[in-house]
Amino acid sequence: MRALNVGLLTLSMGAVLPASANSDISLLSQPQSISVAQTVSSGGQSAQAAQYGNALSEQQISKLEQQRLLQAKELDGNEALPAKLTREQIMQTHIDKALKTQQLAEKNNANLLFANGVYRDFYIYDAYSRLFVDNDYDGFYQTFSVTFDADVEGYYANERAKVFAELYLSRNGGPWEHYYTTDVFTIFGNATDDDFEVLTTLDLGYRTDHYDVLIDLYEVGYGDIVATVSSNDFDSLYALPLESSDRDDIYIDEDYHAGSLSLPLMTMLLLLLGLKLRRTRKINR
């Protein structure tokens, strides 16, 4: 069975704190923007604000292609693709894991090492998509990215929290189906430089269609979703024209001119031939 989650390439870029940040945060690690590249396979069945274009660097495309080829080598030709997990299944998995952790801690009379016991409010301030790599120029892309900026408010002016996100795709208004789980990363209050980007190439099993995106945010140690956004909240997550790479054949413009004549030239030659035949008949008379 082919594993749904593959090896990831993480590209981290250092960033500076916003000018409005309190000096207390200087004792903490600096926020950073994180970019993750991955390839995804599925067993399954116009974004007005999206920034379209083949602006992906050659190095990023090369690394995504290397990942895709490595996955292909691990597959047997007759091996079936894994079934896609629904959002409900993923949510229940996190709830069950949190309950087991709590039960184990109570059994061992241990204290749960959650981030803190103070109520905190999480939200996703911004989210957008970008489209890359459309080899056959049919308007449907095999590579795209989703970037989101998660924030947290709490007792302290510059709260921080360890979180992770689950990402889902919905084909043409269908059910939400899981395609990626991020690593754990840290968010800092309402900092603007701690956004997270997931760069994805759809490898196999995604039909040529329009896909919506949904993002669920979790705090480490808890089973419930702390924030969620989707195409209902941001236009750039709506109706992304996507298809897997096996449907995105490289377009070859075959232009045949050798040994051929244009229509105007053919018409002119036929007229000249007709005039010549007419003159020949007059002479014979």
Side-chain angles (χ1 to χ4, degrees):
M1 177 68 67
R2 183 175 184 176
L4 182 60
N5 292 328
V6 300
L8 305 178
L9 167 67
T10 303
L11 309 174
S12 299
M13 299 171 287
V16 296
L17 285 171
S20 60
N22 189 287
S23 59
D24 294 340
I25 198 69
S26 62
L27 299 177
L28 306 175
S29 58
Q30 300 292 312
Q32 58 182 344
S33 297
I34 302 175
S35 178
V36 176
Q38 59 145 357
T39 56
V40 172
S41 296
S42 167
Q45 310 195 358
S46 120
Q48 298 176 355
Q51 302 176 28
Y52 295 168
N54 290 329
L56 198 61
S57 72
E58 294 183 2
Q59 183 180 15
Q60 288 174 308
I61 294 175
S62 175
K63 289 178 179 178
L64 285 170
E65 180 63 16
Q66 289 175 10
Q67 289 181 351
R68 189 183 70 80
L69 293 175
L70 287 174
Q71 284 184 326
K73 289 181 179 179
E74 295 174 358
L75 270 181
D76 188 297
N78 299 322
E79 202 168 353
L81 293 172
K84 291 180 289 187
L85 296 177
T86 66
R87 187 187 182 204
E88 290 73 18
Q89 290 173 317
I90 295 293
M91 291 168 61
Q92 190 60 51
T93 297
H94 290 302
I95 292 173
D96 293 343
K97 184 177 179 179
L99 288 175
K100 288 181 180 179
T101 302
Q102 183 177 1
Q103 292 171 357
L104 182 61
E106 292 175 351
K107 181 179 180 180
N108 297 329
N109 294 321
N111 294 323
L112 295 178
L113 299 179
F114 291 161
N116 63 48
V118 180
Y119 173 79
R120 298 190 286 187
D121 187 22
F122 293 83
Y123 56 96
I124 298 177
Y125 176 76
D126 190 22
Y128 62 90
S129 64
R130 294 187 296 168
L131 300 177
F132 311 93
V133 188
D134 176 19
N135 288 332
D136 56 10
Y137 299 100
D138 64 349
F140 290 86
Y141 294 73
Q142 61 169 290
T143 300
F144 70 104
S145 71
V146 172
T147 304
F148 59 95
D149 178 19
D151 294 331
V152 57
E153 293 180 350
Y155 179 79
Y156 301 101
N158 293 288
E159 194 72 56
R160 71 170 178 174
K162 291 186 178 297
V163 297
F164 65 95
E166 301 285 8
L167 276 66
Y168 302 86
L169 289 175
S170 169
R171 184 172 71 87
N172 198 23
W176 293 110
E177 295 175 329
H178 182 260
Y179 80 92
Y180 185 66
T181 302
T182 72
D183 290 333
V184 174
F185 61 100
T186 303
I187 57 176
F188 298 81
N190 61 354
T192 58
D193 297 321
D194 58 354
D195 56 345
F196 197 101
E197 179 183 26
V198 178
L199 178 64
T200 303
T201 289
L202 301 176
D203 191 13
L204 296 170
Y206 284 87
R207 298 181 184 178
T208 302
D209 213 327
H210 292 86
Y211 292 80
D212 297 344
V213 177
L214 181 143
I215 306 167
D216 282 338
L217 188 70
Y218 290 83
E219 183 179 12
V220 173
Y222 296 90
D224 295 328
I225 298 169
V226 296
T228 184
V229 294
S230 69
S231 51
N232 293 327
D233 305 288
F234 296 100
D235 289 342
S236 186
L237 302 181
Y238 171 72
L240 275 64
L242 302 174
E243 62 184 358
S244 49
S245 58
D246 59 322
R247 299 172 183 268
D248 188 27
D249 295 330
I250 296 177
Y251 175 75
I252 300 176
D253 185 10
E254 296 180 343
D255 195 2
Y256 295 102
H257 288 295
S260 63
L261 296 174
S262 64
L263 180 60
L265 182 58
M266 286 290 294
T267 303
M268 186 174 64
L269 290 176
L270 289 174
L271 288 174
L272 291 174
L273 180 61
L275 289 174
K276 186 176 180 180
L277 290 174
R278 186 176 179 181
R279 289 178 181 177
T280 302
R281 289 175 182 174
K282 287 183 178 180
I283 294 173
N284 293 334
R285 289 178 182 178

